[in-house]
Amino acid sequence: MKRLFYILAFVLVSNNGLADIYKYTDSNGVTTYTNIKPEGNSKSELVISGPKSAEPSPVAREKKSSAKTPSPANFPKVDNQTQNQRDQKRRELLMSELDQEKQALENAKQLYEDAQNTPEVYRGANGKTFRNVAKYDEKLHVIEAEIQAHERNIELLNKELNR
Protein backbone atom coordinates (compact mmCIF):
# COMPACT_ATOMS: atom_id res chain seq x y z
CA MET A 1 0.00 0.00 0.00
CA LYS A 2 2.85 2.36 0.89
CA ARG A 3 4.54 1.50 -2.40
CA LEU A 4 1.35 2.35 -4.30
CA PHE A 5 1.22 5.70 -2.52
CA TYR A 6 4.80 6.54 -3.53
CA ILE A 7 4.19 5.50 -7.11
CA LEU A 8 1.08 7.67 -7.36
CA ALA A 9 2.82 10.60 -5.65
CA PHE A 10 5.73 10.35 -8.07
CA VAL A 11 3.40 10.18 -11.05
CA LEU A 12 1.48 13.22 -9.86
CA VAL A 13 4.62 15.26 -9.26
CA SER A 14 6.51 14.33 -12.41
CA ASN A 15 5.97 16.05 -15.75
CA ASN A 16 4.34 12.89 -17.03
CA GLY A 17 1.67 13.46 -14.40
CA LEU A 18 -0.08 15.56 -17.04
CA ALA A 19 -0.83 12.43 -19.11
CA ASP A 20 -3.62 9.87 -18.73
CA ILE A 21 -2.71 7.18 -16.19
CA TYR A 22 -4.18 3.69 -16.51
CA LYS A 23 -4.34 0.88 -13.99
CA TYR A 24 -4.73 -2.72 -15.07
CA THR A 25 -4.15 -6.19 -13.73
CA ASP A 26 -2.58 -8.73 -16.07
CA SER A 27 -3.27 -12.46 -16.29
CA ASN A 28 -0.71 -13.19 -13.53
CA GLY A 29 -2.51 -10.87 -11.09
CA VAL A 30 0.14 -8.14 -11.24
CA THR A 31 -1.28 -4.60 -11.02
CA THR A 32 0.45 -2.11 -13.29
CA TYR A 33 0.17 1.69 -13.60
CA THR A 34 1.09 3.18 -16.95
CA ASN A 35 0.48 6.17 -19.20
CA ILE A 36 0.00 3.88 -22.22
CA LYS A 37 -3.45 2.38 -22.66
CA PRO A 38 -3.02 -1.39 -22.65
CA GLU A 39 -4.08 -3.24 -25.78
CA GLY A 40 -5.74 -6.59 -25.94
CA ASN A 41 -8.42 -8.08 -23.79
CA SER A 42 -7.09 -6.83 -20.43
CA LYS A 43 -9.52 -4.53 -18.67
CA SER A 44 -7.93 -1.15 -17.85
CA GLU A 45 -9.21 1.58 -15.59
CA LEU A 46 -8.44 5.28 -16.14
CA VAL A 47 -7.02 6.48 -12.79
CA ILE A 48 -5.85 10.02 -13.66
CA SER A 49 -6.99 11.97 -16.66
CA GLY A 50 -4.53 14.48 -18.10
CA PRO A 51 -5.50 17.84 -19.59
CA LYS A 52 -7.13 17.74 -22.98
CA SER A 53 -6.09 21.21 -24.12
CA ALA A 54 -2.59 22.39 -24.94
CA GLU A 55 -2.26 24.79 -22.00
CA PRO A 56 1.21 25.87 -20.93
CA SER A 57 2.59 24.17 -17.86
CA PRO A 58 2.26 25.94 -14.50
CA VAL A 59 6.00 26.73 -14.60
CA ALA A 60 5.68 28.35 -18.03
CA ARG A 61 2.68 30.39 -16.86
CA GLU A 62 4.61 31.52 -13.80
CA LYS A 63 7.58 32.62 -15.92
CA LYS A 64 5.31 34.47 -18.28
CA SER A 65 3.46 36.24 -15.45
CA SER A 66 6.72 37.41 -13.87
CA ALA A 67 7.46 39.56 -16.93
CA LYS A 68 7.92 43.22 -16.14
CA THR A 69 4.63 45.03 -16.07
CA PRO A 70 4.17 48.78 -15.78
CA SER A 71 3.35 50.22 -12.38
CA PRO A 72 -0.26 51.18 -11.76
CA ALA A 73 -1.12 54.86 -12.07
CA ASN A 74 -1.80 55.17 -8.33
CA PHE A 75 1.49 53.49 -7.35
CA PRO A 76 3.62 55.81 -5.17
CA LYS A 77 6.59 57.19 -7.07
CA VAL A 78 9.70 59.02 -5.94
CA ASP A 79 11.10 61.95 -7.86
CA ASN A 80 14.73 61.84 -9.04
CA GLN A 81 16.00 64.29 -6.44
CA THR A 82 14.58 62.27 -3.54
CA GLN A 83 15.95 59.03 -5.02
CA ASN A 84 19.38 60.62 -5.47
CA GLN A 85 19.32 61.76 -1.82
CA ARG A 86 18.43 58.22 -0.73
CA ASP A 87 21.18 56.75 -2.89
CA GLN A 88 23.69 59.23 -1.47
CA LYS A 89 22.66 58.42 2.12
CA ARG A 90 22.97 54.70 1.39
CA ARG A 91 26.40 55.25 -0.12
CA GLU A 92 27.50 57.22 2.96
CA LEU A 93 26.32 54.41 5.22
CA LEU A 94 28.17 51.81 3.14
CA MET A 95 31.34 53.94 3.19
CA SER A 96 31.07 54.29 6.97
CA GLU A 97 30.60 50.55 7.32
CA LEU A 98 33.57 49.95 5.01
CA ASP A 99 35.77 52.20 7.16
CA GLN A 100 34.69 50.32 10.29
CA GLU A 101 35.45 46.97 8.65
CA LYS A 102 38.89 48.17 7.54
CA GLN A 103 39.64 49.33 11.09
CA ALA A 104 38.39 46.02 12.52
CA LEU A 105 40.59 44.16 10.01
CA GLU A 106 43.66 46.14 11.09
CA ASN A 107 42.84 45.42 14.76
CA ALA A 108 42.44 41.71 14.01
CA LYS A 109 45.76 41.63 12.12
CA GLN A 110 47.49 43.34 15.03
CA LEU A 111 45.91 40.87 17.44
CA TYR A 112 47.11 37.99 15.24
CA GLU A 113 50.65 39.39 15.20
CA ASP A 114 50.62 39.76 18.99
CA ALA A 115 49.22 36.24 19.40
CA GLN A 116 51.96 34.81 17.19
CA ASN A 117 54.61 36.37 19.41
CA THR A 118 52.96 35.18 22.64
CA PRO A 119 53.09 31.40 23.00
CA GLU A 120 50.62 29.64 25.27
CA VAL A 121 52.37 28.08 28.26
CA TYR A 122 51.37 26.33 31.45
CA ARG A 123 53.24 25.34 34.58
CA GLY A 124 53.46 21.72 35.52
CA ALA A 125 53.18 20.35 39.04
CA ASN A 126 56.94 20.42 39.45
CA GLY A 127 57.17 24.10 38.44
CA LYS A 128 58.40 23.53 34.89
CA THR A 129 56.77 25.49 32.08
CA PHE A 130 55.43 23.74 29.00
CA ARG A 131 54.12 25.08 25.71
CA ASN A 132 50.45 24.42 25.02
CA VAL A 133 50.62 24.03 21.25
CA ALA A 134 46.98 23.02 20.83
CA LYS A 135 45.69 26.10 22.65
CA TYR A 136 48.12 28.31 20.71
CA ASP A 137 46.94 26.88 17.36
CA GLU A 138 43.29 27.20 18.35
CA LYS A 139 43.79 30.85 19.32
CA LEU A 140 45.47 31.59 15.98
CA HIS A 141 42.73 29.78 14.00
CA VAL A 142 40.02 31.84 15.70
CA ILE A 143 41.83 35.08 14.85
CA GLU A 144 42.47 33.90 11.26
CA ALA A 145 38.75 33.21 10.83
CA GLU A 146 37.98 36.71 12.12
CA ILE A 147 40.46 38.20 9.64
CA GLN A 148 38.90 36.24 6.78
CA ALA A 149 35.42 37.40 7.79
CA HIS A 150 36.52 41.05 7.80
CA GLU A 151 38.24 40.63 4.41
CA ARG A 152 35.09 39.06 2.97
CA ASN A 153 32.95 41.90 4.37
CA ILE A 154 35.28 44.47 2.82
CA GLU A 155 35.12 42.66 -0.51
CA LEU A 156 31.31 42.60 -0.44
CA LEU A 157 31.05 46.25 0.59
CA ASN A 158 33.38 47.28 -2.23
CA LYS A 159 31.32 45.23 -4.65
CA GLU A 160 28.12 46.93 -3.44
CA LEU A 161 29.67 50.38 -3.68
CA ASN A 162 30.88 49.78 -7.25
CA ARG A 163 27.45 48.80 -8.56
Side-chain angles (χ1 to χ4, degrees):
M1 187 66 173
K2 194 184 270 188
R3 190 166 134 191
L4 173 65
F5 171 75
Y6 288 123
I7 290 171
L8 284 175
F10 175 75
V11 168
L12 288 173
V13 173
S14 72
N15 286 340
N16 292 335
L18 298 176
D20 291 339
I21 305 297
Y22 299 95
K23 172 186 171 185
Y24 70 95
T25 306
D26 64 9
S27 58
N28 296 329
V30 176
T31 302
T32 305
Y33 293 89
T34 180
N35 63 339
I36 301 169
K37 187 170 184 171
E39 294 181 19
N41 58 3
S42 63
K43 183 179 177 187
S44 63
E45 173 188 347
L46 183 61
V47 178
I48 299 172
S49 178
K52 301 302 178 203
S53 65
E55 291 181 14
S57 69
V59 174
R61 278 188 301 230
E62 186 177 311
K63 285 182 182 178
K64 190 180 258 187
S65 67
S66 67
K68 191 164 181 129
T69 58
S71 299
N74 61 351
F75 193 78
K77 295 187 181 190
V78 178
D79 62 296
N80 285 341
Q81 182 180 2
T82 304
Q83 186 61 46
N84 288 340
Q85 288 173 346
R86 290 177 181 175
D87 290 345
Q88 183 61 33
K89 182 66 175 171
R90 180 176 175 274
R91 184 167 183 75
E92 290 171 9
L93 288 171
L94 288 172
M95 290 296 289
S96 171
E97 192 173 337
L98 179 62
D99 291 340
Q100 291 173 357
E101 280 295 325
K102 285 181 178 179
Q103 183 61 45
L105 176 62
E106 289 304 315
N107 292 342
K109 285 182 177 180
Q110 184 63 44
L111 182 64
Y112 184 78
E113 191 176 308
D114 293 344
Q116 278 184 319
N117 297 328
T118 311
E120 291 291 327
V121 295
Y122 67 94
R123 292 200 183 272
N126 58 2
K128 283 187 168 183
T129 57
F130 299 96
R131 292 188 73 180
N132 190 341
V133 178
K135 189 172 182 182
Y136 175 78
D137 287 343
E138 180 183 343
K139 180 173 66 171
L140 289 181
H141 286 302
V142 167
I143 299 171
E144 286 172 352
E146 186 179 336
I147 288 172
Q148 290 173 351
H150 289 303
E151 288 172 341
R152 179 75 177 141
N153 289 344
I154 289 171
E155 177 186 331
L156 292 173
L157 285 167
N158 281 327
K159 185 177 177 181
E160 187 67 24
L161 284 167
N162 292 329
R163 285 208 293 155

